[in-house]
């Protein structure tokens, strides 16, 4: 029976495929594809794990005290029977053979199938036996995980290429951590859906960088959708269609083909300069997460990298930190891949919804705060660990010897933070001089993503060479909204008059001071905002490489002189979005905008 699940659209397009469920578990489960030549060894892993659990259960039964209830021995017998039942281990083996899942993933997939079967049983006693199956599986997963990395996309070296099937797959999960999303960049998944998340959570941002249809905040998706259900992900409308009719399926396949044709048409703009109708040249930069993203940014026609999110180098490492040489090689790879174009590297922005799994440094103090978005994150964390911070600064500075590099500092808000940061940069430079290691002079910039920073622009412009507006956090902190929380997502409003005023004032003050200014948040890659940002005076946009062509198209059709005439009217309106549509897009407002 066809059903629809609604969520928040975060990455546009249509994906059609069979559902792959990543069920949440009390035990972290590694999910990755194995290669064909690893199937037998993976089955052996499963068999060995089953034998270990069987021995543990038999030992428990053998060593039970004499006064133990008889029901306990009977329960252990039930668990032993379940452990050897073909419906569990035999079917799990089949997932490994057919889908090339690793053993843990195959086991959790089969648990999902069995759990639904138990839920549908009419007999109360039989229905309650689901708990026994879950306990057996949890025990087996624990045994399998003892010698393995316990992260959702562990085994990234397989890159998803091991699966030998031809059917398209879509990923359904309760949630996917941003670091884990990176592991799916080259995977077989055509789209994904999560139960939780907001439009500008970092999971959503990485999804857009992958340029695949995605929906978050779909609430019950992972409960309503079953393994291998045919699913349509409508990333434009935020709708998941489960078990679609042939007519609906054909309609969406037609939309897929139309989307592919549109992408091909936009791709032809790659070598076209981004110049407005009135001759204003605009710089289109790329946001990247890893050095291997840089070639794609260059291929998309980016004029450089406006934001290299260095924190992703620190993730999925079982708590260890990348050393200076490892970081240096990563930054150098990105710089060299851009072939002389500038690369802006942001220092580590750990915290909020981007955490490290198990860090030895200070036991990740920010992880234990009630609201990590307001805790020890970004530059606060870096300044609390000065040796780690200088190590990263040295690595970034060393990379500048191989091409133009800019240094970007996140989440600054206080004069003392500015002073400490610049002192650390100076010390890192001196350490490199003392060691005889080459580096070039780099511009140092500040992220404007805290309202305090936007309101103190004269102070920032005295100390920094350029500023970059992080609209995602600026909106979050200005409107007091957790941007990863779907419960308040309706309040997340980039068109809010306060947001537009802060952005406009920041751009104006930077231009007046002769300092560079860019927008690297999601507003930069949203073509709905392009004319307004141009009218505000913005001439540098940084976005995911997949968004560059559509933004360039909007720029080529814009006349900044005409747009500039409407800025004051839009910014002074109580409903800037409605007024913008009326003045710029030519759409009549449903309600008249009153002057504020």
């Amino acid at each position: 029976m066809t059903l629809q699940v609604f969520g928040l659209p975060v990455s546009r397009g249509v994906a059609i495929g069979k559902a792959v469920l990543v069920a949440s578990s009390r035990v972290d489960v590694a999910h990755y594809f194995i290669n064909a030549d690893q199937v037998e060894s993976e089955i052996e892993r499963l068999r060995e794990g089953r034998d270990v659990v069987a021995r543990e259960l038999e030992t428990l039964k053998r060593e039970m005290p004499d006064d133990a209830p008889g029901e306990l021995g009977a329960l252990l017998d039930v668990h032993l029977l379940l452990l050897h039942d073909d419906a569990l281990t035999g079917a799990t083996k089949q997932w490994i053979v057919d889908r090339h899942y690793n053993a843990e993933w195959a086991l959790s997939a089969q648990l999902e199938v069995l759990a639904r079967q138990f839920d549908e049983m009419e007999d109360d006693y039989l229905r309650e036996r689901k708990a026994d199956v879950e306990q057996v599986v949890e025990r087996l997963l624990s045994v399998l995980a003892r010698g393995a990395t316990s992260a959702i996309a562990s085994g990234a070296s397989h890159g998803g290429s091991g699966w030998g099937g031809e059917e398209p797959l879509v990923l359904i999960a309760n949630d996917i951590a941003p670091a884990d999303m990176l592991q799916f960049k080259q995977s077989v998944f055509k789209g994904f859906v999560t139960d939780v998340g907001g439009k500008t959570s970092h999971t959503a941002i990485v999804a857009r960088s992958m340029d695949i249809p995605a929906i978050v905040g779909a609430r019950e998706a992972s409960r309503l959708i079953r393994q291998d259900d045919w699913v349509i992900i409508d990333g434009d409308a935020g709708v998941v269609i489960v078990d679609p009719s042939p007519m609906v399926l054909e309609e969406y396949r037609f939309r897929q083909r139309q989307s592919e044709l549109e992408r091909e048409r936009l791709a032809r703009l790659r070598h076209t300069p981004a110049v407005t109708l009135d001759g204003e040249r605009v710089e289109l930069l790329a946001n990247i997460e890893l050095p291997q993203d840089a070639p794609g940014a260059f291929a998309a026609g980016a004029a450089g990298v406006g934001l290299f999110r260095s924190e992703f180098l620190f993730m999925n490492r079982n708590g260890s930190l990348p050393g200076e040489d490892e970081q240096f090689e990563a930054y150098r790879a990105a710089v060299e891949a851009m072939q002389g174009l500038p690369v802006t590297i942001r220092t580590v922005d750990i915290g909020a919804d981007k955490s490290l799994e198990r860090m030895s440094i200070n036991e990740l103090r920010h992880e234990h705060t009630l609201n990590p978005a307001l805790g020890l994150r970004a530059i606060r964390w870096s300044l609390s660990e000065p040796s780690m911070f200088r190590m990263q600064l040295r690595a970034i500075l060393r990379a500048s010897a191989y091409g133009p590099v800019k240094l970007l500092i996140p989440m600054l808000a206080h004069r003392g933070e500015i002073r400490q940061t610049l002192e650390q940069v100076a010390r890192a430079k001196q350490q490199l001089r003392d060691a005889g290691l080459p580096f070039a002079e780099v511009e140092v910039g500040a992220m404007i993503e805290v309202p305090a920073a936007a309101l103190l622009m004269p102070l920032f412009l005295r100390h920094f060479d350029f500023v970059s507006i992080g609209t995602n956090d600026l909106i979050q902190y200005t409107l007091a909204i957790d941007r990863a929380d779907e419960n308040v997502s309706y309040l997340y409003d980039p068109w809010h008059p306060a947001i537009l005023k802060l952005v406009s004032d920041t751009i104006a003050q930077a231009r007046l001071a002769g300092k560079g200014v860019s927008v690297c948040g999601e507003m930069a890659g949203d073509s709905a905002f392009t004319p307004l940002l141009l009218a505000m005076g913005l001439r540098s946009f940084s976005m995911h490489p997949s968004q560059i062509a559509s933004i360039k198209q909007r720029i080529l059709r814009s006349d900044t002189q005409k747009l500039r005439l409407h800025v004051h009217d839009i910014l002074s309106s109580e409903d800037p979005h409605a007024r913008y549509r009326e003045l710029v897009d030519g759409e009549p407002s449903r309600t008249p905008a009153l002057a504020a």
Side-chain angles (χ1 to χ4, degrees):
M1 181 183 72
T2 299
L3 63 92
Q4 293 184 340
V5 182
F6 296 89
L8 303 172
V10 295
S11 187
R12 302 186 65 178
V14 172
I16 302 171
K18 280 195 168 185
V20 173
L21 264 70
V22 176
S24 57
S25 170
R26 291 188 293 273
V27 176
D28 286 337
V29 178
H31 295 72
Y32 55 88
F33 292 101
I34 61 172
N35 295 318
D37 58 1
Q38 296 174 300
V39 169
E40 287 304 319
S41 61
E42 200 66 14
I43 292 172
E44 182 59 27
R45 276 189 68 225
L46 177 67
R47 187 181 298 113
E48 290 175 354
R50 181 199 63 189
D51 292 344
V52 169
V53 173
R55 287 195 295 272
E56 289 177 352
L57 293 174
E58 288 166 353
T59 300
L60 285 172
K61 184 179 178 183
R62 188 171 56 251
E63 296 179 354
M64 274 197 312
D66 294 337
D67 57 350
E71 292 83 1
L72 182 56
L75 181 61
L76 292 174
D77 286 335
V78 169
H79 283 198
L80 280 165
L81 286 171
L82 289 171
L83 188 63
H84 291 91
D85 194 312
D86 198 54
L88 179 61
T89 51
T92 298
K93 173 184 172 182
Q94 209 57 43
W95 285 109
I96 297 173
V97 172
D98 294 343
R99 280 285 179 83
H100 289 189
Y101 289 174
N102 68 303
E104 292 90 341
W105 190 354
L107 192 60
S108 60
Q110 185 57 20
L111 173 60
E112 179 74 19
V113 172
L114 293 175
R116 290 180 184 274
Q117 291 176 359
F118 276 103
D119 286 339
E120 292 169 357
M121 291 179 179
E122 295 183 4
D123 185 277
D124 289 343
Y125 176 81
L126 292 176
R127 192 164 55 245
E128 290 172 3
R129 299 286 63 77
K130 180 178 80 169
D132 295 319
V133 178
E134 289 174 337
Q135 290 167 14
V136 170
V137 170
E138 295 288 353
R139 185 178 286 273
L140 184 47
L141 285 172
S142 296
V143 169
L144 289 171
R146 284 173 191 169
T149 301
S150 54
I152 185 173
S154 174
S157 59
H158 301 296
S161 61
W163 186 64
E166 296 181 357
E167 293 173 333
L169 303 178
V170 297
L171 188 66
I172 313 294
N174 176 259
D175 194 15
I176 308 173
D180 298 330
M181 281 295 302
L182 294 176
Q183 311 294 355
F184 294 130
K185 279 200 168 188
Q186 305 300 324
S187 76
V188 297
F189 297 115
K190 305 301 181 185
F192 80 88
V193 179
T194 63
D195 296 341
V196 300
K199 273 194 169 184
T200 56
S201 64
H202 280 91
T203 299
I205 292 170
V206 176
R208 281 189 284 276
S209 77
M210 293 165 61
D211 197 22
I212 62 173
I215 294 173
V216 301
R219 302 296 181 111
E220 298 293 303
S222 67
R223 187 181 66 83
L224 296 173
I225 300 172
R226 300 171 182 245
Q227 292 279 6
D228 282 344
D229 276 349
W230 275 101
V231 170
I232 295 173
I233 299 175
D234 186 337
D236 299 312
V239 179
V240 184
I241 304 171
V242 186
D243 192 20
S245 67
M247 184 179 297
V248 170
L249 196 58
E250 186 54 38
E251 177 186 343
Y252 273 95
R253 282 181 173 148
F254 174 76
R255 284 181 54 183
Q256 270 188 322
R257 291 192 291 271
Q258 292 297 106
S259 179
E260 289 168 3
L261 289 173
E262 174 66 11
R263 289 186 187 210
E264 291 174 6
R265 187 180 66 79
L266 286 174
R268 292 197 288 270
L269 295 176
R270 177 194 164 194
H271 297 295
T272 303
V275 181
T276 65
L277 291 173
D278 57 322
E280 289 286 329
R281 184 172 289 274
V282 181
E283 181 182 54
L284 296 181
L285 306 168
N287 296 343
I288 66 173
E289 283 79 38
L290 294 170
Q292 50 264 43
D293 298 335
F298 185 83
V305 171
L307 177 62
F308 182 161
R309 296 185 175 98
S310 67
E311 54 271 15
F312 287 95
L313 296 175
F314 290 67
M315 295 179 176
N316 282 349
R317 301 178 59 90
N318 290 329
S320 66
L321 290 176
E324 180 179 331
D325 288 340
E326 181 182 347
Q327 290 189 59
F328 160 64
E329 292 296 342
Y331 304 141
R332 184 178 73 170
V335 170
E336 290 180 337
M338 293 308 295
Q339 302 181 33
L341 297 175
V343 176
T344 302
I345 303 173
R346 183 177 68 186
T347 58
V348 62
D349 186 7
I350 290 299
D353 64 342
K354 293 180 297 181
S355 62
L356 306 186
E357 305 86 24
R358 291 178 295 278
M359 280 189 52
S360 57
I361 295 182
N362 284 337
E363 296 298 321
L364 256 188
R365 287 169 287 174
H366 62 288
E367 282 291 283
H368 305 292
T369 61
L370 292 176
N371 192 335
L374 300 179
L376 190 67
R377 62 164 293 199
I379 190 59
R380 300 171 181 176
W381 183 68
S382 293
L383 291 175
S384 74
E385 299 292 344
S387 60
M388 180 283 301
F389 189 33
R390 286 194 300 274
M391 179 191 298
Q392 182 176 34
L393 292 174
R394 289 194 301 269
I396 293 171
L397 290 168
R398 288 170 60 189
S400 69
Y402 296 85
V405 168
K406 296 182 180 182
L407 177 64
L408 184 60
I409 311 298
M411 205 181 168
L412 288 164
H414 300 270
R415 183 174 61 88
E417 290 175 337
I418 295 174
R419 177 183 55 78
Q420 291 178 64
T421 297
L422 295 179
E423 286 176 356
Q424 293 296 339
V425 173
R427 287 189 63 182
K429 288 180 177 179
Q430 188 58 50
Q431 288 173 341
L432 291 179
R433 292 189 192 101
D434 293 342
L437 293 172
F439 67 93
E441 284 302 314
V442 301
E443 292 186 13
V444 181
M447 290 280 288
I448 304 300
E449 51 189 342
V450 178
L455 295 171
L456 286 176
M457 278 299 292
L459 171 66
F460 279 73
L461 293 171
R462 282 199 301 272
H463 291 284
F464 293 100
D465 301 307
F466 68 97
V467 293
S468 185
I469 306 173
T471 53
N472 306 338
D473 272 336
L474 185 62
I475 296 168
Q476 169 173 253
Y477 293 126
T478 303
L479 301 183
I481 296 166
D482 182 350
R483 59 191 176 98
D485 186 351
E486 72 274 12
N487 293 311
V488 292
S489 61
Y490 68 99
L491 293 172
Y492 187 93
D493 182 14
W495 288 99
H496 193 286
I499 302 301
L500 297 183
K501 178 170 175 51
L502 288 173
V503 171
S504 179
D505 288 350
T506 299
I507 294 170
Q509 291 186 64
R511 285 173 61 92
L512 186 62
K515 298 292 181 74
V517 56
S518 67
V519 170
C520 63
E522 291 301 293
M523 283 175 67
D526 187 342
S527 60
F529 287 97
T530 305
L532 181 57
L533 292 172
L534 288 171
M536 290 176 178
L538 187 70
R539 296 296 180 266
S540 180
F541 296 66
S542 190
M543 68 208 72
H544 301 299
S546 62
Q547 298 167 320
I548 289 176
S550 61
I551 298 301
K552 183 181 289 187
Q553 177 179 255
R554 194 72 193 259
I555 289 169
L556 294 172
R557 297 173 178 177
S558 297
D559 186 325
T560 61
Q561 291 187 25
K562 291 181 179 178
L563 292 169
R564 201 174 296 122
L565 299 175
H566 301 307
V567 172
H568 177 74
D569 200 353
I570 293 169
L571 294 182
S572 62
S573 171
E574 288 185 351
D575 188 349
H577 194 193
R579 192 63 175 149
Y580 173 86
R581 290 198 306 267
E582 182 180 11
L583 293 173
V584 178
D585 293 339
E587 298 180 13
S589 298
R590 294 183 180 179
T591 56
L594 304 176

